[in-house]
DNA sequence: CTGTTAGCGCGTTCAT
DNA sequence: ATGAACGCGCTAACAG
């Protein structure tokens, strides 16, 4: 029941020409080759009438290009953000006429190889290798012999493979800037800090957030009022850390939570003690997960631009794929990572004080 | 740099046999056709040595089967649950040697057709058409001429295309059962009700949840203490609805929230009035979104089995694909939908009373 | 037991 | 201006 497809041969027969002729006019090269308008119209009409669509498998075999991409990540299901990354990728691909195979490894190297093989067997034109948590890894050898781009991933040493990453460092700086501008100087860190070394070792993003925060503070002649590193960034930890801080008798002016889940826990701890956000304590955070906007009050947070990252990654990839076609032989020069801005979602968790008290922007 | 692939011809040459012979032994039909063991070994060794992998595009063209599936949904990014559905699907596919093209329409019919075409052009063996919100829709004509299964979607009339859906009705029944067993009889509905007609018209799932709840209540000789239909099931609505209830002077014994977002809003409203969950009011809900476990206390909720649904859908699909190969001609009999159970995640939002006060299970 | 032949559907010379 | 012929890489008839 599947083989109802119309072939080029049928179109040619219908139009009374040879298959090759039909191929030419449908490829738009008819006028270039000075085929009569009448004939061209005849072919086009026949194709239209029959509902002809080229068999992409055949074209792929013939031309070596399948207009198909591989998207392999360690996790597609962990959060909405993962979905956003994929959506950005498949949308951008479709916009340029590509389809994408998506695979998930769960971090299993074995499985990754298996998927890579299965996709390359199907002659994908390029590969985006993605991760849901920004970290550093080695490239699989397959990624070398075909156009590839890394998404939310960094590699060691100089490399010619493009990477796209969120600009965590800048977001860290902006987070303290946002607080300082509003006169908040008693800033406590929840999830990492107080020193450069106090960040989860596996998360590049965490390290850069911290780095940005500390640098911005230092530039203002300040340092964190406290810091509390922790390995898991989940609400219970946020709750515990914030509770400890509060139990120590301090009421912080502002909290920088290293992600929204920690912030959710912080809200809970604050709420249990009758402390109001933002009147008693201000909170800024990172990620902009779904519930950030539903917390009361709405959480001010820096969004991980996952959609944009997915989009950028496949755009870079397709650029490479199409460049590789007209093989210039170049393209193996080291390339810097593309850093995408993390937009600030201003909501209601940071206190708005009068301008007089605020430190002017530097 | 991409064309380093070893072909069957090279393997055959290396082994000193004809290509067709090599093909046969690598397909495992060597012994069946009584080829000498020595020859078979030679071929296998050559393939191994050269790192041969069949070009799946060529195989696809030749055999008509690409071992590739189409997964098209209206949204992949809306929630973690969407990701789970996809993960279930791609995992099940991989386990059976299939890869999947993922596409998203955003509900745009135009785009859906475009994606369908692009995927069928690439000769996918089957289609899963999915939605993130359970509803009823018409089948695109393409879904008729190839194996297809509907995921979280229902169609009008009898049909031979399999559908997989969560068992919302059963979950609705169980929700009231869970409350009744614990002696809770003053049950208020947040998001729908109090009558059968008070449910969002576009959501089949909502209607069935409500139906199950009402039936179970009726079986126990009860009816909802109140109901409050609303179109958007988001935290602000949950907050508003619950606040209204409370402002009316009633302190409900138990709330059935129609989803976790509404429940989050209910928690907030309760919290603002100093009412404790579950000591003052119990809450059950549906979906089991990510934050349900992070609410304090943890939210007892019926999980949408998205992962399992994705898995089941592709398993049914692949069964059909492989059945269609050895064309029995059958398969066009009407088929009932596969209803997957929504497991109850018992957490801490329902009060545990002493058995004496509880209504025994029927 | 093995190799030859044919063709899946298409794009691309190369002679007309 | 047009069509015949070839081949992408593979599988499956059929001969030998």
């Amino acid at each position: 029941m599947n083989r109802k497809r119309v072939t080029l041969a049928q179109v040619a027969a219908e139009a009374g020409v040879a298959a090759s002729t039909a191929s030419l006019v449908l490829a738009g090269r008819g006028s270039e080759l000075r085929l009569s308008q009448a004939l061209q119209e005849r072919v086009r009409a026949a194709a239209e009438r029959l509902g002809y669509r080229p068999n992409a498998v055949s074209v792929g075999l013939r031309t070596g290009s399948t207009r198909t991409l591989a998207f392999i990540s360690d996790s597609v299901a962990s959060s909405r953000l993962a979905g956003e990354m994929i959506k950005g990728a498949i949308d951008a691909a479709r916009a340029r006429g590509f389809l994408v195979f998506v695979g998930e490894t769960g971090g299993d190297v074995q499985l990754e190889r298996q998927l890579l093989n299965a996709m390359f067997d199907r002659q994908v034109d390029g590969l985006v290798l993605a991760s849901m948590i920004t970290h550093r890894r080695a490239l699989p050898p397959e990624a070398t012999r075909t156009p590839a781009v890394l998404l939310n991933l960094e590699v060691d040493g100089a490399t010619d493979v493009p990477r796209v990453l969120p600009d965590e460092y800048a977001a860290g700086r902006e987070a303290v800037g946002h607080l300082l501008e509003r006169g908040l100087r008693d800033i406590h860190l929840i999830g990492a800090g107080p020193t450069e070394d106090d960040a989860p070792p596996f998360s590049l993003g965490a390290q850069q957030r911290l780095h940005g925060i500390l640098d911005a503070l230092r530039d203002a002649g300040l340092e964190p009022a406290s810091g509390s590193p922790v390995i898991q960034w989940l609400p219970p930890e946020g709750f515990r850390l914030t509770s400890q801080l509060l139990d120590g008798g301090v009421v912080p002016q502002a909290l920088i939570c290293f992600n929204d889940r920690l912030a959710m826990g912080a809200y809970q701890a604050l709420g249990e003690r009758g402390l109001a956000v933002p009147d008693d304590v201000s909170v800024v955070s990172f990620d902009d997960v779904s519930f950030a906007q539903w917390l009361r009050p709405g959480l001010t947070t820096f969004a991980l631009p996952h959609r944009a990252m997915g989009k950028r990654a496949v755009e870079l990839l397709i650029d490479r794929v199409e460049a590789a076609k007209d093989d210039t032989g170049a393209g193996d020069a080291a390339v810097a990572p593309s850093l995408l801005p993390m937009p600030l979602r201003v909501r209601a968790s940071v206190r708005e004080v009068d301008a007089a008290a605020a430190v002017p922007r530097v």
Side-chain angles (χ1 to χ4, degrees), chain A:
Chain A
M1 60 182 79
N2 198 0
R3 299 285 87 82
K4 301 201 113 179
R5 284 191 77 95
V6 176
T7 70
L8 181 61
Q10 295 175 38
V11 173
E14 174 88 4
V17 300
S20 53
T21 308
S23 175
L24 258 0
V25 347
L26 293 178
R29 313 211 304 152
S31 299
E32 168 193 330
L33 298 187
R34 312 202 183 185
L35 303 188
S36 73
Q37 282 303 325
L39 180 149
Q40 294 195 40
E41 260 329 301
R42 219 166 358 119
V43 172
R44 268 189 268 275
E48 175 80 16
R49 194 167 342 117
L50 266 32
Y52 170 71
R53 311 202 99 240
N55 180 327
V57 172
S58 179
V59 173
L61 179 59
R62 181 65 245 246
T63 65
S65 162
T66 53
R67 296 195 82 77
T68 281
L69 265 24
F71 185 104
I72 296 183
S73 77
D74 49 7
S75 139
V76 307
S78 60
S79 70
R80 174 173 75 168
L81 304 175
E84 292 283 347
M85 208 147 98
I86 291 182
K87 178 172 171 45
I90 65 183
D91 277 358
R94 180 193 44 75
R96 294 182 63 171
F98 282 73
L99 246 36
V100 6
F101 284 123
V102 351
E104 159 167 339
T105 67
D108 181 335
V109 190
Q110 187 81 347
L111 222 182
E112 179 176 285
R113 268 236 317 284
Q114 184 184 331
L115 283 170
L116 246 12
N117 278 333
M119 293 188 185
F120 282 126
D121 286 351
R122 286 164 177 80
Q123 306 291 109
V124 294
D125 293 332
L127 162 71
V128 6
L129 200 58
S131 175
M132 286 310 144
I133 168 167
T134 313
H135 68 282
R136 191 177 290 276
R137 60 162 286 176
L139 273 186
E142 290 84 352
T144 313
R145 40 188 55 170
T146 207
V149 2
L150 261 30
L151 185 43
N152 212 17
L153 239 22
E154 187 51 282
V155 289
D156 306 286
T159 175
D160 61 324
V161 357
R163 288 135 288 157
V164 358
L165 297 155
D167 195 346
E168 305 270 11
Y169 178 83
R173 292 197 69 106
E174 285 178 45
V176 343
H178 188 73
L179 263 18
L180 259 28
E181 286 168 19
R182 281 158 187 77
L184 277 1
R185 303 172 58 90
D186 173 47
I187 298 173
H188 299 251
L189 272 26
I190 301 290
T195 79
E196 307 271 357
D197 303 324
D198 302 315
F202 49 84
S203 169
L204 205 61
Q207 293 160 29
Q208 292 171 342
R209 278 176 199 182
L210 179 59
H211 203 186
I213 289 166
L214 262 20
D215 279 3
L217 246 16
R218 192 173 304 122
D219 288 355
L222 295 173
E223 55 183 37
S226 82
S228 44
V230 69
I231 29 165
Q232 288 241 77
W233 282 359
L234 295 174
E237 280 75 37
F239 182 84
R240 186 170 53 77
L241 261 20
T242 308
S243 296
Q244 285 172 1
L245 196 60
L246 267 17
D247 289 344
V250 345
V251 175
Q253 218 174 32
L255 257 30
I256 296 183
C257 295
F258 271 79
N259 78 358
D260 294 342
R261 298 186 213 246
L262 289 167
M264 181 178 183
Y267 266 54
Q268 293 167 336
L270 260 12
E272 286 200 3
R273 271 140 186 101
L275 259 17
V277 177
D279 292 340
D280 297 316
V281 6
S282 293
V283 180
V284 234
S285 174
F286 301 89
D287 285 4
D288 193 28
V289 302
S290 61
F291 60 73
Q293 65 180 307
W294 306 126
L295 257 18
R296 289 178 66 90
L299 179 61
T300 291
T301 186
F302 288 84
L304 241 14
H306 277 130
R307 171 98 52 122
M309 288 166 63
K311 179 164 184 280
R312 171 69 64 82
V314 333
E315 280 169 353
L316 286 174
L317 180 57
I318 294 180
D319 286 348
R320 293 227 147 186
V321 167
E322 296 186 334
K325 229 171 24 190
D326 6 272
D327 193 19
T328 56
D332 52 347
V335 52
S338 300
L339 262 26
L340 264 41
M342 295 179 62
L344 175 58
R345 310 279 187 230
V346 177
R347 293 201 263 249
S349 62
V350 175
R351 187 161 147 226
E352 294 290 339
V353 299
D354 46 336
V359 171
R361 188 179 259 279
V362 208

